[in-house]
Amino acid sequence: MLEWIYWSISWILLRWHDLWDAILPGRQFLSTTWQWVLAIVFLVITVRALLFPVFVKQIRSQRAMQALQPQMKALQEKHKGDRETLQKEMMELYRKEKANPLMGCLPMFVQIPVFLGLFHVLRRLSPTNPNTELYGWSTAQFKSAAAAKLFGAPLPGSFSSPAETLVALGSTSLNTKIVAAACVILMMATTYLSSRQMILKTGWNADPQQRMIQKLMLYGIPLGLLVSGWAFPLGVILYWVTNNLFTLGQQQWVLRKYPPPVTEGATPMKRTKAATTGTAGKSGAAKPTKSGLFGKTKADTEPSDAKPVVEGKALAPKPGAKPVNPKKGGSAKR
């Protein structure tokens, strides 16, 4: 069923390797086979270029969901406590406005077959594998990829690979575990940052279903990688990290060029210290509450010709002075 994916991934990977092998024939630096490392990096670029229309649909769907926030909040207030009716009304709203709440995860779902295909291809790169010409590979390409390394650790190897397998691949267990552990941590960090980058701009979604998806993307997937990442070949982890870095750059460009609209009901990811404490300064005196247009204080928004408030003691006559008639401005007649 997935044979066509294995053939496609292999074809793209081998074409990029042929190109970089012609540019950097047999070159190694920092114990790294750059022909295969760059082939995996440009495999990511190729896949992301092919998925760019899907990314555009994702952005449009996110904008549509943000525009629906006021209506969704109204439905939540109307059907508070009746989850079944709320879900029906929400689905009807999505259908009517042609919005899909799952579209935000579509690029990730589309890349899962690519990830699985690369995982399968790299796992079969073993010196003990007699079938060296599968999925369009030649024997020379198979042996070259099996011997490829990243900082001395084999690209087909993983943190959990047996020591004898790593020795057969031309490396040691300690070196592979150190490189693999660093790569897994980097994979988790870039996965977290790519989700956090978007939530910092849009805030937590008011819709419970959307917020659950946001939390899954932010916390669930990085924690899942902590458990499963140790079995990933280094080449797959390299693909994942490169893909995350590409996503960070792409999202930064989109958020800067097309900033998301401010939607009602969305809550910021973090609150500032001043907003949570309501105090400032060493004396502990509270800052004036800002309100109104552009966050000005009440004193800033009062008209300039407003009469100043004067205390009554300032108008009282001094001892021994004649009383003054406020209407005539002169001395009072006895």
Side-chain angles (χ1 to χ4, degrees):
M1 180 179 179
L2 297 178
E3 291 291 315
W4 67 274
I5 295 178
Y6 304 151
W7 279 90
S8 301
I9 296 301
S10 296
W11 188 86
I12 298 174
L13 189 65
L14 292 175
R15 298 293 77 76
W16 280 117
H17 170 262
D18 293 342
L19 174 63
W20 288 110
D21 191 47
I23 298 174
L24 305 170
R27 300 286 180 87
Q28 280 201 2
F29 179 66
L30 297 176
S31 301
T32 300
T33 311
W34 292 105
Q35 300 94 320
W36 286 106
V37 169
L38 290 173
I40 294 176
V41 170
F42 278 82
L43 170 65
V44 175
I45 296 175
T46 303
V47 172
R48 294 304 297 262
L50 295 175
L51 292 180
F52 186 76
V54 178
F55 176 74
V56 173
K57 290 183 179 180
Q58 177 196 21
I59 296 299
R60 289 178 179 175
S61 177
Q62 289 176 345
R63 295 294 189 266
M65 293 299 298
Q66 291 169 357
L68 292 179
Q69 290 302 310
Q71 300 180 51
M72 294 164 61
K73 186 177 180 181
L75 288 176
Q76 291 169 8
E77 293 293 332
K78 181 180 179 181
H79 302 290
K80 191 174 183 180
D82 189 356
R83 180 171 296 184
E84 184 178 354
T85 304
L86 176 61
Q87 291 296 329
K88 291 181 180 179
E89 292 290 339
M90 286 286 191
M91 295 304 296
E92 179 63 23
L93 179 62
Y94 296 152
R95 186 195 64 78
K96 180 180 178 182
E97 300 295 335
K98 297 181 180 180
N100 188 351
L102 298 178
M103 185 63 70
C105 303
L106 183 60
M108 183 188 69
F109 291 149
V110 173
Q111 290 187 75
I112 288 178
V114 179
F115 172 81
L116 294 177
L118 183 61
F119 183 91
H120 176 80
V121 169
L122 292 178
R123 285 296 295 269
R124 59 176 289 273
L125 295 176
S126 172
T128 59
N129 187 0
N131 195 353
T132 60
E133 297 184 356
L134 194 63
Y135 311 131
W137 290 65
S138 66
T139 302
Q141 291 170 334
F142 182 93
K143 292 181 178 180
S144 174
K149 293 179 176 59
L150 176 66
F151 302 120
L155 288 179
S158 66
F159 187 92
S160 59
S161 296
E164 55 271 16
T165 302
L166 297 175
V167 171
L169 291 172
S171 183
T172 63
S173 178
L174 179 60
N175 184 44
T176 302
K177 289 184 184 301
I178 292 175
V179 175
C183 290
V184 168
I185 293 173
L186 185 60
M187 177 174 61
M188 294 172 58
T190 53
T191 301
Y192 171 81
L193 290 175
S194 62
S195 299
R196 183 176 181 270
Q197 182 187 45
M198 186 65 70
I199 299 176
L200 281 175
K201 285 290 185 180
T202 61
W204 291 109
N205 203 295
D207 180 24
Q209 183 180 4
Q210 289 294 306
R211 181 171 295 198
M212 181 180 67
I213 294 176
Q214 285 180 318
K215 290 184 177 181
L216 175 64
M217 298 287 291
L218 185 64
Y219 302 116
I221 294 181
L223 290 177
L225 294 175
L226 179 62
V227 178
S228 61
W230 310 108
F232 293 169
L234 280 176
V236 172
I237 299 178
L238 176 63
Y239 174 90
W240 193 300
V241 171
T242 306
N243 184 67
N244 287 340
L245 294 176
F246 193 97
T247 300
L248 284 168
Q250 192 177 52
Q251 287 183 167
Q252 180 65 21
W253 178 80
V254 170
L255 291 173
R256 179 167 296 185
K257 191 171 182 65
Y258 305 102
V262 179
T263 56
E264 183 181 356
T267 56
M269 185 176 179
K270 287 186 178 181
R271 293 184 180 182
T272 59
K273 186 176 181 181
T276 55
T277 59
T279 59
K282 296 181 180 179
S283 61
K287 287 186 177 181
T289 304
K290 293 187 177 184
S291 61
L293 191 62
F294 305 120
K296 294 183 178 181
T297 61
K298 184 177 180 181
D300 296 333
T301 54
E302 287 187 358
S304 58
D305 59 345
K307 295 181 180 181
V309 179
V310 184
E311 296 182 358
K313 293 182 180 181
L315 296 178
K318 297 181 179 179
K322 294 182 180 181
V324 180
N325 190 335
K327 294 183 179 179
K328 297 183 179 181
S331 302
K333 295 182 180 181
R334 296 183 178 177

